[in-house]
Amino acid sequence: MAKLPGNSQLLDAAGRPLRSLLAINRLDDPEKELLYASLLPLRLRGLLGLAADGLHTATGERLTTIIAPSGLALLRIEVRARPDDADTTFFLELADTQYHQMELSFCIICDPAAPRYDVDVDESGRRNWFASRGRNLPEELRAMEDGLFPNQTRRGLRLFAEFFPLLERFTDALGMEMIVAEPLSYDNAIRYEKYGFDYLRGTRLMLEIDREFQPGGRYHARMDGSTPFRMPGMERTVRGRSWAIHDGVLDEPWDEVQIYKVIGVDAGIDTFPGRERGVR
């Protein structure tokens, strides 16, 4: 049963309750695509000229690909500014968990008109899977200097604030009470805190990061200019800390941080209360 004000149980065309991605994926393609297109923010639709179905432009070009195989409990949505673009403007991956929760695996929203930085490949041009298989230091430096966060290939559209309420209401309409995720970087974790998430795993690490980046802390001492990603003062911003952590400043790898959001509940977590805001 849905809990959010004004929300209701999601039903298929025959009026039967839908309680999971697995159930939606059993539907015929037109019906399930219409349901999944509801996750696309209105501003994204307007920016790309998507029609009411969220899939095509007014001239019939299909910009949205929905991958939701029958028999599997997962969803991928890819939206491109042009059908032949290599990069997506909007990329979303969701999955059911065994505990009847929604797993937010990935959400990437990029400005297709912004400059691209090849931080997703190593210096030989091979995919590096979020820098886990090598880094592209020249491109990372260019991206950082342009105000991007680690792993960003393009500047974002600042649409997550419009997308997340859609996801929360969609999850609620399936009768699920929780969204879970694994932030891939420090700045992602801080960003999720803003949307009411708490930590299943990682609270100790996040508090330790904040403590040790303070003057006198061991991470603060490592902001010594030894690399462009560890310049003094960068520890005062989320972006600066995130680049330093991406550069390996911690005593342990950024790994296994798990977060959750109870539908309709703001956990009120803030593990970096003293950060400088409004700084690129």
Side-chain angles (χ1 to χ4, degrees), residues 67-275:
I67 302 170
S70 180
L72 295 181
L74 57 85
L75 164 68
R76 175 183 290 181
I77 300 179
E78 301 175 355
V79 185
R80 290 172 168 80
R82 291 170 293 275
D84 57 349
D85 278 358
D87 293 332
T88 57
T89 296
F90 179 92
F91 180 91
L92 175 68
E93 278 193 0
L94 302 175
D96 294 332
T97 76
Q98 60 181 322
Y99 304 109
H100 194 54
Q101 302 160 342
M102 182 66 72
E103 179 181 333
L104 173 54
S105 303
F106 291 102
C107 181
I108 302 171
I109 310 174
C110 298
D111 183 349
R116 192 188 200 282
Y117 301 94
D118 295 334
V119 299
D120 56 340
V121 298
D122 64 19
E123 293 187 34
S124 299
R126 296 170 295 199
R127 279 291 294 274
N128 63 13
W129 304 106
F130 299 101
S132 64
R133 299 184 182 179
R135 295 171 62 187
N136 190 333
L137 293 176
E139 287 296 282
E140 286 187 1
L141 182 57
R142 291 179 60 233
M144 184 181 70
E145 290 176 341
D146 196 25
L148 274 65
F149 291 89
N151 301 313
Q152 272 192 291
T153 57
R154 283 190 170 91
R155 188 179 302 280
L157 285 169
R158 298 186 177 182
L159 274 172
F160 192 82
E162 297 178 33
F163 160 72
F164 188 73
L166 298 176
L167 175 63
E168 189 168 13
R169 294 186 71 82
F170 179 81
T171 303
D172 179 51
L174 291 173
M176 298 181 181
E177 297 184 355
M178 188 178 295
I179 299 171
V180 297
E182 294 189 19
L184 295 177
S185 61
Y186 176 76
D187 59 276
N188 283 153
I190 296 292
R191 190 171 298 113
Y192 280 127
E193 290 179 5
K194 173 184 174 182
Y195 292 97
F197 280 79
D198 201 346
Y199 291 89
L200 288 167
R201 298 181 59 180
T203 302
R204 176 202 60 81
L205 176 61
M206 294 297 288
L207 294 176
E208 179 182 86
I209 287 172
D210 188 50
R211 182 178 65 249
E212 298 301 328
F213 268 124
Q214 304 299 325
R218 62 185 187 277
Y219 301 152
H220 185 276
R222 295 171 189 171
M223 304 301 285
D224 55 5
S226 55
T227 80
F229 308 99
R230 304 188 190 191
M231 300 303 292
M234 287 178 62
E235 74 282 352
R236 296 195 295 268
T237 69
V238 173
R239 185 171 66 89
R241 284 187 178 186
S242 196
W243 276 110
I245 291 169
H246 182 78
D247 195 49
V249 77
L250 301 186
D251 292 332
E252 57 188 288
W254 176 268
D255 193 22
E256 297 185 351
V257 176
Q258 296 177 317
I259 58 177
Y260 72 97
K261 169 73 163 69
V262 177
I263 298 300
V265 177
D266 186 337
I269 302 297
D270 184 357
T271 60
F272 188 5
R275 63 184 176 270

